[in-house]
Amino acid sequence: MVDFAVHGLPLRSLGLKVLAASVDSIETTAALKEGLHVGYPMFAEVDALALAEATGAHVYKRNGVDTAHATAFLIDPDGIINNAVYSTGPIGRFTASEVIRKTMFEQANRG
């Protein structure tokens, strides 16, 4: 998440918006956002099962609670998921530089 905050200017210059969503509580998510100094929106208490149904994200039980592993999406201006990374563990995420590179490719090849 910090990677996307650090690369905020190049992401915005490409017309990209960054947001994060978590199944964690509002308090936990707010503390994480503050601790990481993340300036983009972070949504809390997301319904993991609804997220999985809508996007195919991986859901598992953590302490008896449905939880989603890190999942990232590039969504085009029409609201269509252009690219996604689904993690089934704590590792396996987009980096900001990969998103920038993918977006530049897509913009250059848009027809």
Side-chain angles (χ1 to χ4, degrees):
M1 288 191 285
V2 172
D3 187 39
F4 284 88
V6 169
H7 289 87
L9 183 59
L11 291 164
R12 284 190 303 276
S13 73
L14 290 168
L16 299 174
K17 297 176 184 173
V18 175
L19 61 89
S22 176
V23 298
D24 292 330
S25 70
I26 292 170
E27 295 80 13
T28 299
T29 303
L32 179 65
K33 181 176 179 171
E34 183 178 329
L36 296 177
H37 305 286
V38 172
Y40 52 81
M42 292 181 69
F43 300 94
E45 300 181 353
V46 172
D47 182 325
L49 295 177
L51 175 70
E53 185 175 322
T55 67
H58 178 74
V59 174
Y60 69 104
K61 293 268 189 204
R62 180 178 69 189
N63 299 325
V65 176
D66 291 319
T67 303
H69 270 299
T71 305
F73 306 102
L74 287 178
I75 302 171
D76 73 14
D78 297 321
I80 305 299
I81 295 175
N82 178 281
N83 200 2
V85 172
Y86 298 94
S87 178
T88 57
I91 305 298
R93 298 179 171 103
F94 273 137
T95 65
S97 61
E98 290 168 333
V99 169
I100 291 166
R101 190 173 71 238
K102 170 73 171 158
T103 301
M104 291 173 71
F105 173 83
E106 293 293 332
Q107 289 177 351
N109 293 292
R110 193 173 291 151

